[in-house]
């Protein structure tokens, strides 16, 4: 079967404050270059959704399209840009992608139609008081039992994900990931063990962490060649 890696990279990076996030460098390589390189070997084609007016950095083995106003719209456009049977969706903002996770997500997506990398929630979860200032903890605690923090890559039968996007658009639903759109149709999404290093670079603190990890990660990758 044909497989496409679809990379939404059209975010503005407003929480990071360093310009369009996919172009931010970590250890000498942009977040986008790291994501493309990590997925390239597993798929037949790579397509990236970029911010309007920006070009693909030189040297990347990928095609690009113009992204949308929301992540969901960027993914929807990416889905229209490929004819592959299986699609692997991966946030450009997650630069460290273990090959075992990619393989496990692809295997589960091929078998079940939909799969996502995810980690069991390790922290205690609390709700902030609805009308209190930030930091005011509400009396109500949510059990972390059975809760998972969803990451990418996520893998899907393309026809299935297209249908999930079509129905979400029709219902006016905006979700932060694609597995959620499939799940709301009542279909099951396989949970595949993710990796702590698949964290999303969102805040300046995450960027500092990514810059500290990059040399270690790169030496591991070189060693495994
Ligand atoms: O904003 P957030 O960190 O959740 O974005 C996740 C991924 O979606 C990022 O890689 C970002 O570039 C991408 N995105 C996009 N189009 C948008 C907004 C976000 O491709 N309009």
């Amino acid at each position: 079967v044909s497989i496409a890696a679809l990379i939404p990279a059209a975010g503005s990076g407003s929480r990071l404050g360093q310009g369009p996030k996919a172009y931010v460098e970590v250890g000498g390589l942009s977040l986008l270059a790291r994501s493309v390189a990590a997925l390239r070997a597993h798929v037949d084609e790579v397509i990236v959704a970029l911010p309007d007016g920006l070009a693909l950095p030189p040297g990347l083995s990928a095609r690009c399209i113009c992204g949308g106003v929301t992540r969901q719209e960027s993914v929807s456009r990416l889905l229209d840009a490929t004819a592959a049977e299986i699609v692997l969706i991966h946030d450009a903002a997650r630069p460290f992608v273990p090959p075992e996770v990619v393989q496990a997500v692809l295997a589960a997506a091929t078998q079940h139609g939909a799969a996502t990398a995810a980690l069991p929630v390790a922290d205690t979860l609390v709700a902030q008081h609805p009308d209190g200032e930030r930091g005011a903890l509400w009396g109500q605690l949510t059990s972390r039992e059975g809760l998972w923090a969803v990451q990418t890559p996520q893998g899907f039968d393309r026809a299935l994900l297209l249908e999930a996007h079509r129905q979400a658009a029709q219902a006016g639903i905006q979700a932060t990931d694609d597995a959620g759109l499939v799940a709301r149709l009542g279909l099951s999404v396989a949970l595949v063990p993710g990796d702590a290093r698949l964290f999303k670079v969102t805040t300046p603190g995450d960027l500092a962490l990514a810059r500290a990890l990059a040399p270690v990660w790169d030496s591991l990758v070189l060693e495994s060649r």
Side-chain angles (χ1 to χ4, degrees), residues 106-172:
L106 278 177
T110 305
Q111 198 182 342
H112 304 287
T116 182
L119 286 178
V121 170
D123 294 321
T124 295
L125 296 170
V126 302
Q128 179 188 315
H129 197 282
D131 51 31
E133 70 279 22
R134 220 181 149 80
L137 190 152
W138 209 8
Q140 179 184 316
L141 304 183
T142 310
S143 166
R144 70 184 170 211
E145 184 65 28
L147 294 182
W148 294 66
V150 166
Q151 303 180 317
T152 72
Q154 302 187 338
F156 306 92
D157 177 282
R158 185 178 59 100
L160 176 77
L161 188 57
L162 265 174
E163 178 60 14
H165 270 260
R166 196 188 61 77
Q167 292 204 27
Q170 203 170 38

Side-chain angles (χ1 to χ4, degrees), residues 78-91:
L78 286 164
L79 285 172
D80 288 337
T82 181
E85 289 154 85
I86 298 283
V87 293
L88 195 64
I89 318 278
H90 180 67
D91 290 334

Side-chain angles (χ1 to χ4, degrees), residues 8-11 15 21 68-71 74 91-93 200:
R15 284 166 294 183
K21 191 159 67 180
V69 175
T70 61
R71 181 190 184 280
S74 294
D91 290 334
K200 186 167 67 173

